[in-house]
Amino acid sequence: MDPFITPFRVQLTTEAFHEFRNGKVSRRRLSSLSNYYCDQEAARFSVEQSDPLVYEVWELEYEAVGRGLSFGMTRIFPGIVGKEFFFTRGHFHADSDGDEMYIVLSGHGMLVMSSHAGDCQILEMIPGQMCYVPGHLAHRTVNVGEEPLVFFTIWPPNLVHDYETIAQTGFPKLIVSGLSGPEIISNPNY
Ligand code: F6R
Ligand code: ZN
């Protein structure tokens, strides 16, 4: 294998990432995420009705190479399950071993972060802004708007993603649709 990564450039759009060489795409429908939502009845109903596409991720990881920067583009569609907005599964970076940068391209979101001890921090995601995620915090993105939320992420190579912890515990806070917009509430199941 060529010891060097060849220079390249790519437009920061979902269309360009769709065409991108070597990139892989994962699509997550509600049926693969329904356990993550608080309102299990609403999740079941929505899966039976249409099993909507919640989000898709294009990514290029340099795990095997051991250097380079891994990066990805995520698009979360607008939607609600019960009162919770559509979100990504969320994960820790195992061993707290890598920080990550989120660059918001379009839409309106919330970035929910939590330590293993349950200290929770939430940043609003606004187009044109960057959110910095320290490696020891689990992170989940939530689309609180009416348009797709699209963001570009960059993380170090050889990073192990731990999904299991969040699948078991969830996050301490939930982002729900309230009377006057998105609201942050405590997760009754945490
Ligand atoms: C990578 C990262 C993002 C997410 C993506 C989907 O470290 O944080 O690229 O992987 O937004 O979310 P998950 O991976 O939680 O399903
Ligand atoms: Zn991450």
Side-chain angles (χ1 to χ4, degrees):
M1 191 201 291
D2 185 340
F4 298 107
I5 292 162
T6 311
F8 60 87
R9 61 183 178 151
V10 58
Q11 201 76 21
L12 288 182
T13 62
T14 49
E15 292 77 14
F17 269 65
H18 201 67
E19 303 293 316
F20 196 62
R21 67 196 165 93
N22 302 330
K24 70 170 190 210
V25 58
S26 334
R27 296 202 162 81
R28 302 236 152 244
R29 292 194 170 274
L30 184 58
S31 49
S32 68
L33 298 164
S34 52
N35 290 344
Y36 287 77
Y37 286 89
C38 227
D39 188 338
Q40 285 292 293
E41 190 59 36
R44 225 180 346 263
F45 182 75
S46 183
V47 167
E48 278 167 20
Q49 292 297 302
S50 62
D51 195 10
L53 182 58
V54 177
Y55 67 101
E56 47 196 357
V57 188
W58 294 265
E59 59 189 13
L60 199 147
E61 293 207 62
Y62 284 110
E63 270 170 15
V65 183
R67 59 186 152 65
L69 293 169
S70 298
F71 58 88
M73 175 86 87
T74 305
R75 169 163 61 185
I76 311 177
F77 292 96
I80 279 188
V81 178
K83 289 191 167 182
E84 278 181 280
F85 292 102
F86 277 7
F87 54 59
T88 58
R89 286 176 295 170
H91 57 265
F92 278 96
H93 294 173
D95 305 323
S96 308
D97 61 358
D99 296 2
E100 182 161 9
M101 204 175 265
Y102 275 53
I103 296 161
V104 189
L105 299 172
S106 58
H108 183 203
M110 299 279 213
L111 177 53
V112 182
M113 291 166 281
S114 170
S115 69
H116 279 283
D119 297 319
C120 197
Q121 296 175 53
I122 298 173
L123 292 177
E124 195 173 356
M125 296 175 76
I126 297 170
Q129 292 193 353
M130 178 272 268
C131 300
Y132 192 92
V133 181
H136 67 290
L137 299 180
H139 39 284
R140 161 179 288 166
T141 40
V142 185
N143 183 353
V144 299
E146 289 170 8
E147 304 296 326
L149 172 67
V150 181
F151 52 93
F152 176 69
T153 55
I154 313 171
W155 64 96
N158 282 338
L159 190 151
V160 177
H161 289 87
D162 163 21
Y163 286 94
E164 201 44 42
T165 308
I166 291 300
Q168 299 298 327
T169 66
F171 280 82
K173 300 285 181 191
L174 306 178
I175 313 291
V176 298
S177 172
L179 287 178
S180 52
E183 283 175 12
I184 301 169
I185 62 165
S186 292
N187 179 356
N189 301 324
Y190 184 79

